[in-house]
Short mmCIF file of all heavy atoms in Angstrom, two decimals:
data_model
loop_
_atom_site.label_atom_id
_atom_site.label_comp_id
_atom_site.label_asym_id
_atom_site.label_seq_id
_atom_site.Cartn_x
_atom_site.Cartn_y
_atom_site.Cartn_z
N ILE A 1024 -12.07 -12.41 -5.90
CA ILE A 1024 -12.16 -11.10 -6.29
C ILE A 1024 -13.54 -10.74 -6.78
O ILE A 1024 -14.13 -9.73 -6.42
CB ILE A 1024 -11.08 -10.73 -7.28
CG1 ILE A 1024 -9.62 -10.69 -6.73
CG2 ILE A 1024 -11.34 -9.32 -7.91
CD1 ILE A 1024 -8.59 -10.62 -7.72
N ALA A 1025 -14.13 -11.69 -7.54
CA ALA A 1025 -15.51 -11.53 -8.00
C ALA A 1025 -16.48 -11.51 -6.83
O ALA A 1025 -17.46 -10.63 -6.82
CB ALA A 1025 -15.90 -12.67 -8.96
N GLU A 1026 -16.30 -12.34 -5.84
CA GLU A 1026 -17.23 -12.27 -4.65
C GLU A 1026 -17.10 -10.98 -3.88
O GLU A 1026 -18.05 -10.39 -3.45
CB GLU A 1026 -17.01 -13.49 -3.73
CG GLU A 1026 -17.50 -14.74 -4.20
CD GLU A 1026 -19.08 -14.81 -4.27
OE1 GLU A 1026 -19.69 -14.20 -3.32
OE2 GLU A 1026 -19.60 -15.24 -5.30
N LEU A 1027 -15.87 -10.57 -3.75
CA LEU A 1027 -15.63 -9.24 -2.93
C LEU A 1027 -16.28 -8.09 -3.73
O LEU A 1027 -16.85 -7.19 -3.06
CB LEU A 1027 -14.10 -9.03 -2.72
CG LEU A 1027 -13.43 -9.98 -1.82
CD1 LEU A 1027 -11.92 -9.90 -1.92
CD2 LEU A 1027 -13.90 -9.73 -0.40
N ALA A 1028 -16.16 -8.11 -5.00
CA ALA A 1028 -16.62 -7.04 -5.77
C ALA A 1028 -18.19 -7.07 -5.77
O ALA A 1028 -18.85 -6.02 -5.64
CB ALA A 1028 -16.20 -7.08 -7.25
N GLU A 1029 -18.76 -8.22 -5.70
CA GLU A 1029 -20.27 -8.34 -5.63
C GLU A 1029 -20.72 -7.94 -4.32
O GLU A 1029 -21.89 -7.36 -4.21
CB GLU A 1029 -20.67 -9.78 -5.86
CG GLU A 1029 -22.09 -10.03 -5.95
CD GLU A 1029 -22.79 -9.52 -7.25
OE1 GLU A 1029 -21.99 -9.19 -8.23
OE2 GLU A 1029 -23.96 -9.25 -7.21
N LEU A 1030 -19.95 -8.07 -3.24
CA LEU A 1030 -20.27 -7.58 -1.97
C LEU A 1030 -20.33 -6.03 -1.86
O LEU A 1030 -21.09 -5.45 -1.21
CB LEU A 1030 -19.38 -8.12 -0.82
CG LEU A 1030 -19.49 -9.58 -0.47
CD1 LEU A 1030 -18.39 -10.02 0.41
CD2 LEU A 1030 -20.86 -9.84 0.16
N ILE A 1031 -19.38 -5.45 -2.67
CA ILE A 1031 -19.33 -3.95 -2.68
C ILE A 1031 -20.46 -3.40 -3.52
O ILE A 1031 -21.07 -2.49 -3.17
CB ILE A 1031 -17.93 -3.55 -3.22
CG1 ILE A 1031 -16.92 -3.94 -2.17
CG2 ILE A 1031 -17.92 -2.08 -3.48
CD1 ILE A 1031 -15.45 -3.77 -2.65
N ILE A 1032 -20.71 -3.97 -4.73
CA ILE A 1032 -21.78 -3.58 -5.57
C ILE A 1032 -22.66 -4.74 -5.85
O ILE A 1032 -22.44 -5.54 -6.83
CB ILE A 1032 -21.28 -2.96 -6.90
CG1 ILE A 1032 -20.42 -1.73 -6.61
CG2 ILE A 1032 -22.48 -2.55 -7.78
CD1 ILE A 1032 -19.83 -1.09 -7.86
N PRO A 1033 -23.65 -5.01 -4.96
CA PRO A 1033 -24.42 -6.23 -5.15
C PRO A 1033 -25.52 -6.12 -6.28
O PRO A 1033 -25.82 -4.99 -6.65
CB PRO A 1033 -25.15 -6.37 -3.81
CG PRO A 1033 -25.19 -5.01 -3.24
CD PRO A 1033 -23.96 -4.35 -3.83
N GLU A 1034 -26.07 -7.26 -6.79
CA GLU A 1034 -27.05 -7.14 -7.75
C GLU A 1034 -28.39 -6.90 -7.04
O GLU A 1034 -28.80 -7.55 -6.13
CB GLU A 1034 -27.15 -8.53 -8.45
CG GLU A 1034 -28.12 -8.55 -9.55
CD GLU A 1034 -28.06 -9.84 -10.40
OE1 GLU A 1034 -27.10 -10.58 -10.25
OE2 GLU A 1034 -29.07 -10.01 -11.14
N THR A 1035 -29.08 -5.84 -7.58
CA THR A 1035 -30.37 -5.49 -7.09
C THR A 1035 -31.26 -5.46 -8.31
O THR A 1035 -31.24 -6.41 -9.10
CB THR A 1035 -30.35 -4.08 -6.40
OG1 THR A 1035 -29.81 -3.13 -7.20
CG2 THR A 1035 -29.54 -4.13 -5.10
N ASP A 1036 -32.00 -4.38 -8.51
CA ASP A 1036 -32.71 -4.28 -9.79
C ASP A 1036 -31.78 -3.86 -10.92
O ASP A 1036 -32.20 -3.87 -12.06
CB ASP A 1036 -33.91 -3.17 -9.63
CG ASP A 1036 -33.33 -1.82 -9.16
OD1 ASP A 1036 -32.26 -1.78 -8.54
OD2 ASP A 1036 -34.07 -0.80 -9.45
N THR A 1037 -30.60 -3.58 -10.56
CA THR A 1037 -29.53 -3.34 -11.62
C THR A 1037 -28.49 -4.39 -11.47
O THR A 1037 -28.39 -5.00 -10.44
CB THR A 1037 -28.83 -1.92 -11.39
OG1 THR A 1037 -28.30 -1.90 -10.07
CG2 THR A 1037 -29.90 -0.83 -11.60
N PRO A 1038 -27.72 -4.65 -12.50
CA PRO A 1038 -26.74 -5.73 -12.42
C PRO A 1038 -25.69 -5.38 -11.39
O PRO A 1038 -25.28 -4.27 -11.17
CB PRO A 1038 -26.14 -5.85 -13.88
CG PRO A 1038 -26.65 -4.69 -14.56
CD PRO A 1038 -27.78 -4.14 -13.85
N GLY A 1039 -25.07 -6.47 -10.79
CA GLY A 1039 -24.07 -6.36 -9.81
C GLY A 1039 -22.70 -6.27 -10.50
O GLY A 1039 -22.56 -6.39 -11.70
N ALA A 1040 -21.64 -6.30 -9.65
CA ALA A 1040 -20.30 -6.16 -10.17
C ALA A 1040 -19.86 -7.46 -10.81
O ALA A 1040 -19.08 -7.50 -11.79
CB ALA A 1040 -19.37 -5.90 -8.99
N LYS A 1041 -20.38 -8.61 -10.31
CA LYS A 1041 -20.02 -9.87 -10.91
C LYS A 1041 -20.60 -9.99 -12.34
O LYS A 1041 -19.93 -10.40 -13.27
CB LYS A 1041 -20.58 -11.06 -10.06
CG LYS A 1041 -19.93 -12.38 -10.37
CD LYS A 1041 -20.58 -13.49 -9.55
CE LYS A 1041 -20.05 -13.48 -8.13
NZ LYS A 1041 -20.54 -14.66 -7.35
N ALA A 1042 -21.80 -9.56 -12.58
CA ALA A 1042 -22.44 -9.60 -13.88
C ALA A 1042 -21.70 -8.65 -14.86
O ALA A 1042 -21.65 -8.89 -16.09
CB ALA A 1042 -23.92 -9.21 -13.83
N ALA A 1043 -21.16 -7.49 -14.26
CA ALA A 1043 -20.49 -6.56 -15.10
C ALA A 1043 -19.06 -6.98 -15.49
O ALA A 1043 -18.42 -6.25 -16.16
CB ALA A 1043 -20.53 -5.15 -14.43
N GLY A 1044 -18.55 -8.03 -14.89
CA GLY A 1044 -17.17 -8.49 -15.20
C GLY A 1044 -16.14 -7.65 -14.55
O GLY A 1044 -15.09 -7.50 -15.07
N VAL A 1045 -16.47 -7.10 -13.41
CA VAL A 1045 -15.46 -6.24 -12.71
C VAL A 1045 -14.21 -7.06 -12.31
O VAL A 1045 -13.20 -6.49 -12.15
CB VAL A 1045 -16.17 -5.58 -11.52
CG1 VAL A 1045 -15.16 -4.82 -10.66
CG2 VAL A 1045 -17.29 -4.66 -11.97
N ASP A 1046 -14.29 -8.33 -12.00
CA ASP A 1046 -13.21 -9.11 -11.58
C ASP A 1046 -12.07 -9.10 -12.66
O ASP A 1046 -10.93 -8.94 -12.32
CB ASP A 1046 -13.56 -10.54 -11.17
CG ASP A 1046 -14.45 -11.24 -12.25
OD1 ASP A 1046 -15.17 -10.57 -13.02
OD2 ASP A 1046 -14.43 -12.45 -12.23
N HIS A 1047 -12.49 -9.27 -13.91
CA HIS A 1047 -11.46 -9.24 -14.98
C HIS A 1047 -10.84 -7.81 -14.99
O HIS A 1047 -9.63 -7.67 -15.21
CB HIS A 1047 -12.15 -9.46 -16.31
CG HIS A 1047 -12.60 -10.83 -16.51
ND1 HIS A 1047 -11.81 -11.91 -16.78
CD2 HIS A 1047 -13.81 -11.39 -16.42
CE1 HIS A 1047 -12.40 -13.04 -16.86
NE2 HIS A 1047 -13.62 -12.78 -16.61
N TYR A 1048 -11.63 -6.80 -14.83
CA TYR A 1048 -11.09 -5.44 -14.91
C TYR A 1048 -10.03 -5.18 -13.73
O TYR A 1048 -8.96 -4.67 -13.95
CB TYR A 1048 -12.25 -4.36 -14.74
CG TYR A 1048 -11.73 -2.94 -14.71
CD1 TYR A 1048 -11.34 -2.22 -15.87
CD2 TYR A 1048 -11.59 -2.33 -13.46
CE1 TYR A 1048 -10.91 -0.99 -15.75
CE2 TYR A 1048 -11.09 -1.05 -13.36
CZ TYR A 1048 -10.82 -0.37 -14.57
OH TYR A 1048 -10.37 0.95 -14.43
N ILE A 1049 -10.44 -5.67 -12.53
CA ILE A 1049 -9.50 -5.44 -11.38
C ILE A 1049 -8.17 -6.20 -11.65
O ILE A 1049 -7.16 -5.64 -11.39
CB ILE A 1049 -10.23 -6.00 -10.13
CG1 ILE A 1049 -11.42 -5.11 -9.64
CG2 ILE A 1049 -9.18 -6.04 -8.91
CD1 ILE A 1049 -12.20 -5.61 -8.57
N ILE A 1050 -8.25 -7.42 -12.10
CA ILE A 1050 -7.00 -8.13 -12.34
C ILE A 1050 -6.23 -7.56 -13.44
O ILE A 1050 -4.98 -7.40 -13.32
CB ILE A 1050 -7.36 -9.68 -12.65
CG1 ILE A 1050 -7.91 -10.35 -11.32
CG2 ILE A 1050 -6.11 -10.44 -12.98
CD1 ILE A 1050 -8.54 -11.67 -11.63
N ASP A 1051 -6.85 -7.13 -14.50
CA ASP A 1051 -6.05 -6.54 -15.61
C ASP A 1051 -5.39 -5.25 -15.20
O ASP A 1051 -4.25 -5.02 -15.53
CB ASP A 1051 -7.06 -6.28 -16.78
CG ASP A 1051 -7.36 -7.50 -17.57
OD1 ASP A 1051 -6.70 -8.46 -17.40
OD2 ASP A 1051 -8.45 -7.45 -18.28
N VAL A 1052 -6.11 -4.39 -14.39
CA VAL A 1052 -5.49 -3.09 -13.98
C VAL A 1052 -4.43 -3.41 -13.00
O VAL A 1052 -3.38 -2.75 -12.98
CB VAL A 1052 -6.61 -2.20 -13.37
CG1 VAL A 1052 -5.97 -1.03 -12.65
CG2 VAL A 1052 -7.56 -1.79 -14.51
N MET A 1053 -4.64 -4.39 -12.09
CA MET A 1053 -3.50 -4.58 -11.11
C MET A 1053 -2.29 -5.18 -11.82
O MET A 1053 -1.17 -4.77 -11.46
CB MET A 1053 -4.07 -5.73 -10.14
CG MET A 1053 -4.97 -5.26 -9.06
SD MET A 1053 -4.40 -3.82 -8.10
CE MET A 1053 -2.85 -4.37 -7.43
N ILE A 1054 -2.42 -5.90 -12.82
CA ILE A 1054 -1.24 -6.47 -13.52
C ILE A 1054 -0.64 -5.42 -14.44
O ILE A 1054 0.63 -5.32 -14.44
CB ILE A 1054 -1.59 -7.75 -14.33
CG1 ILE A 1054 -1.93 -8.84 -13.38
CG2 ILE A 1054 -0.52 -8.14 -15.29
CD1 ILE A 1054 -2.63 -10.07 -14.12
N SER A 1055 -1.43 -4.72 -15.18
CA SER A 1055 -0.91 -3.84 -16.23
C SER A 1055 -0.53 -2.41 -15.75
O SER A 1055 0.29 -1.71 -16.37
CB SER A 1055 -1.93 -3.75 -17.37
OG SER A 1055 -2.17 -5.02 -17.86
N CYS A 1056 -1.29 -1.94 -14.79
CA CYS A 1056 -1.26 -0.44 -14.46
C CYS A 1056 -0.74 -0.11 -13.10
O CYS A 1056 -0.77 1.09 -12.75
CB CYS A 1056 -2.60 0.15 -14.67
SG CYS A 1056 -3.26 -0.11 -16.34
N ASN A 1057 -0.36 -1.11 -12.33
CA ASN A 1057 0.06 -0.73 -10.89
C ASN A 1057 1.57 -1.18 -10.70
O ASN A 1057 1.95 -2.19 -11.31
CB ASN A 1057 -0.77 -1.49 -9.87
CG ASN A 1057 -2.09 -0.84 -9.71
OD1 ASN A 1057 -2.26 0.20 -9.07
ND2 ASN A 1057 -3.16 -1.34 -10.35
N PRO A 1058 2.24 -0.43 -9.86
CA PRO A 1058 3.61 -0.78 -9.52
C PRO A 1058 3.74 -2.05 -8.71
O PRO A 1058 2.68 -2.51 -8.18
CB PRO A 1058 4.12 0.40 -8.74
CG PRO A 1058 2.93 1.12 -8.23
CD PRO A 1058 1.76 0.80 -9.13
N VAL A 1059 4.87 -2.65 -8.74
CA VAL A 1059 5.07 -4.01 -8.09
C VAL A 1059 4.68 -3.92 -6.63
O VAL A 1059 4.04 -4.87 -6.15
CB VAL A 1059 6.53 -4.35 -8.27
CG1 VAL A 1059 6.80 -5.64 -7.43
CG2 VAL A 1059 6.84 -4.60 -9.70
N ARG A 1060 4.95 -2.84 -5.92
CA ARG A 1060 4.59 -2.75 -4.50
C ARG A 1060 3.06 -2.86 -4.29
O ARG A 1060 2.60 -3.49 -3.39
CB ARG A 1060 5.09 -1.41 -3.93
CG ARG A 1060 6.33 -1.51 -3.15
CD ARG A 1060 6.74 -0.26 -2.49
NE ARG A 1060 7.78 0.27 -3.18
CZ ARG A 1060 8.20 1.55 -3.34
NH1 ARG A 1060 7.40 2.47 -2.77
NH2 ARG A 1060 9.22 1.88 -4.04
N GLN A 1061 2.35 -2.12 -5.11
CA GLN A 1061 0.90 -2.17 -5.03
C GLN A 1061 0.33 -3.58 -5.42
O GLN A 1061 -0.53 -4.02 -4.72
CB GLN A 1061 0.23 -1.11 -6.02
CG GLN A 1061 -1.23 -1.06 -5.78
CD GLN A 1061 -1.72 -0.48 -4.41
OE1 GLN A 1061 -1.24 0.50 -3.96
NE2 GLN A 1061 -2.47 -1.32 -3.71
N GLN A 1062 0.91 -4.26 -6.31
CA GLN A 1062 0.46 -5.58 -6.70
C GLN A 1062 0.74 -6.52 -5.52
O GLN A 1062 -0.16 -7.38 -5.08
CB GLN A 1062 1.26 -6.05 -7.96
CG GLN A 1062 0.90 -5.47 -9.23
CD GLN A 1062 1.80 -5.94 -10.32
OE1 GLN A 1062 2.51 -6.86 -10.20
NE2 GLN A 1062 1.75 -5.20 -11.43
N HIS A 1063 1.92 -6.34 -4.94
CA HIS A 1063 2.26 -7.21 -3.83
C HIS A 1063 1.28 -6.96 -2.60
O HIS A 1063 0.84 -7.90 -1.90
CB HIS A 1063 3.74 -7.06 -3.42
CG HIS A 1063 4.15 -7.97 -2.30
ND1 HIS A 1063 4.31 -9.24 -2.43
CD2 HIS A 1063 4.35 -7.67 -1.01
CE1 HIS A 1063 4.63 -9.79 -1.35
NE2 HIS A 1063 4.71 -8.82 -0.40
N LYS A 1064 0.98 -5.67 -2.42
CA LYS A 1064 0.14 -5.36 -1.23
C LYS A 1064 -1.21 -5.88 -1.50
O LYS A 1064 -1.96 -6.36 -0.55
CB LYS A 1064 0.17 -3.86 -1.00
CG LYS A 1064 -0.49 -3.43 0.23
CD LYS A 1064 -0.12 -2.07 0.64
CE LYS A 1064 -0.56 -1.71 2.06
NZ LYS A 1064 -0.15 -0.38 2.51
N PHE A 1065 -1.77 -5.83 -2.70
CA PHE A 1065 -3.08 -6.35 -3.01
C PHE A 1065 -3.16 -7.84 -2.84
O PHE A 1065 -4.08 -8.39 -2.28
CB PHE A 1065 -3.48 -5.92 -4.47
CG PHE A 1065 -4.86 -6.24 -4.88
CD1 PHE A 1065 -5.88 -5.40 -4.49
CD2 PHE A 1065 -5.15 -7.33 -5.53
CE1 PHE A 1065 -7.22 -5.66 -4.85
CE2 PHE A 1065 -6.44 -7.69 -5.92
CZ PHE A 1065 -7.49 -6.81 -5.54
N PHE A 1066 -2.13 -8.55 -3.38
CA PHE A 1066 -2.09 -10.00 -3.28
C PHE A 1066 -1.97 -10.43 -1.80
O PHE A 1066 -2.60 -11.40 -1.34
CB PHE A 1066 -0.94 -10.55 -4.15
CG PHE A 1066 -1.02 -12.02 -4.21
CD1 PHE A 1066 -1.91 -12.68 -4.98
CD2 PHE A 1066 -0.05 -12.81 -3.54
CE1 PHE A 1066 -1.91 -14.08 -5.07
CE2 PHE A 1066 -0.07 -14.18 -3.61
CZ PHE A 1066 -0.96 -14.83 -4.38
N SER A 1067 -1.15 -9.72 -1.05
CA SER A 1067 -1.04 -9.96 0.40
C SER A 1067 -2.36 -9.83 1.09
O SER A 1067 -2.69 -10.55 1.98
CB SER A 1067 0.04 -9.09 1.05
OG SER A 1067 1.31 -9.43 0.54
N GLY A 1068 -3.10 -8.77 0.69
CA GLY A 1068 -4.42 -8.53 1.29
C GLY A 1068 -5.38 -9.70 1.03
O GLY A 1068 -6.15 -10.11 1.88
#
């Protein structure tokens, strides 16, 4: 997830998604704020 996020927002002269800790955010939101169907679809993806 961290590598994928870094591909979407790479590090340039500003910090990238990996440095910003976006992977923790994505996992926390997927677990806490999404229905089971969406979690399953994300994990299957």
Side-chain angles (χ1 to χ4, degrees):
I1024 293 171
E1026 281 297 316
L1027 291 169
E1029 187 70 21
L1030 287 171
I1031 293 172
I1032 302 178
E1034 184 171 347
T1035 56
D1036 57 337
T1037 59
K1041 197 183 284 187
V1045 172
D1046 52 332
H1047 290 282
Y1048 177 81
I1049 291 172
I1050 294 170
D1051 286 342
V1052 168
M1053 284 307 301
I1054 292 170
S1055 303
C1056 304
N1057 281 284
V1059 172
R1060 260 187 252 152
Q1061 185 64 57
Q1062 291 175 12
H1063 183 72
K1064 194 161 187 176
F1065 188 81
F1066 187 73
S1067 295

